[in-house]
Amino acid sequence: MSAIRLLVLGSVRQHGRAHGYQVRNDLEFWGAHEWSNAKPGSIYHALKQMARQGLLHAYETAPSTAGGPPRTEYEVTDQGTEEYFALLRQSLTAYDQKLDVLSAAVGFIVDLPRAEAVALLRQRVEGLERWRAGVTEYYTPEEGPESLGHIGEIMNMWVHSADAGAQWTRGLIARIEAGAYTFAGEGDPFADLHLTSREGPG
């Protein structure tokens, strides 16, 4: 799965309608250009591709009063909304995704009801625990990686990664259950982010 689809759909959905520069600006505000493939070219390509796929509706707007070419504004369709929430839920539960996919999902987790977010994160922990159990059928961490030669360091790295991922996820669950953040149905989940939408080329 690519993080860019989730990031772009989520950003457009926040605005209601958005042009490419607004989406780019949002994702740069999040630092997504540093931890994902959300580079300008990828963002504009994703917008056009998802419009062709029926996930976004494209509107041609008039040129700005300052001159320049017309902008294209995008709006998430019903099909796009279904795709967005399917990607979001899958990204939160899948334990074998790259960190950029998980990062994108955490960025939009507040679009879900609080109870559902917790349930999905618990599924993630269960998946990590199952995966770790599978690895340790062949590798016993207590014996140390040397027991398998230097290749044991690979297994050691993945076991540590699974442990760290589960620990972080449990911490997030605890913070959410304790009332952290604003989730769907509780107010505006993104009100505290102060996302900007500077004018610029579209």
Side-chain angles (χ1 to χ4, degrees):
M1 183 193 304
S2 169
I4 190 71
R5 289 171 74 84
L6 179 56
L7 287 167
V8 169
L9 284 170
S11 176
V12 174
R13 186 174 175 276
Q14 278 183 44
H15 286 281
R17 256 199 209 192
H19 51 75
Y21 185 80
Q22 288 173 309
V23 174
R24 174 183 168 186
N25 192 52
D26 282 359
L27 300 186
E28 286 182 354
F29 179 84
W30 286 26
H33 58 298
E34 300 290 348
W35 48 259
S36 78
N37 60 342
K39 305 297 188 288
S42 300
I43 292 169
Y44 290 108
H45 174 75
L47 286 165
K48 291 175 183 177
Q49 181 184 54
M50 288 192 284
R52 288 193 298 270
Q53 294 170 343
L55 305 179
L56 297 173
H57 185 83
Y59 299 88
E60 291 293 333
T61 61
S64 68
T65 55
R71 283 179 171 156
T72 302
E73 289 189 341
Y74 297 90
E75 184 177 28
V76 179
T77 64
D78 290 344
Q79 182 183 346
T81 298
E82 290 179 13
E83 174 82 358
Y84 169 70
F85 280 105
L87 288 172
L88 179 56
R89 293 179 174 112
Q90 181 183 351
S91 301
L92 287 170
T93 55
Y95 58 88
D96 55 352
Q97 294 288 357
K98 293 181 179 179
L99 274 179
D100 62 338
V101 175
L102 176 59
S103 300
V106 171
F108 292 113
I109 192 172
V110 291
D111 271 337
L112 297 168
R114 186 178 298 271
E116 183 180 4
V118 168
L120 292 170
L121 291 170
R122 290 196 188 284
Q123 288 182 43
R124 178 181 186 80
V125 172
E126 290 168 4
L128 284 165
E129 289 173 342
R130 284 194 305 271
W131 183 88
R132 188 190 193 281
V135 171
T136 54
E137 286 181 11
Y138 309 98
Y139 165 67
T140 305
E142 291 74 20
E143 294 179 2
E146 299 92 339
S147 62
L148 297 179
H150 76 279
I151 298 302
E153 294 293 351
I154 298 173
M155 308 294 278
N156 193 41
M157 176 183 68
W158 284 107
V159 167
H160 275 74
S161 177
D163 289 345
Q167 181 182 9
W168 172 83
T169 307
R170 290 189 193 99
L172 177 56
I173 290 170
R175 290 187 289 278
I176 293 172
E177 289 185 323
Y181 318 120
T182 302
F183 283 79
E186 301 174 354
D188 181 357
F190 293 92
D192 60 341
L193 292 186
H194 308 295
L195 294 180
T196 58
S197 56
R198 296 190 302 269
E199 289 295 310

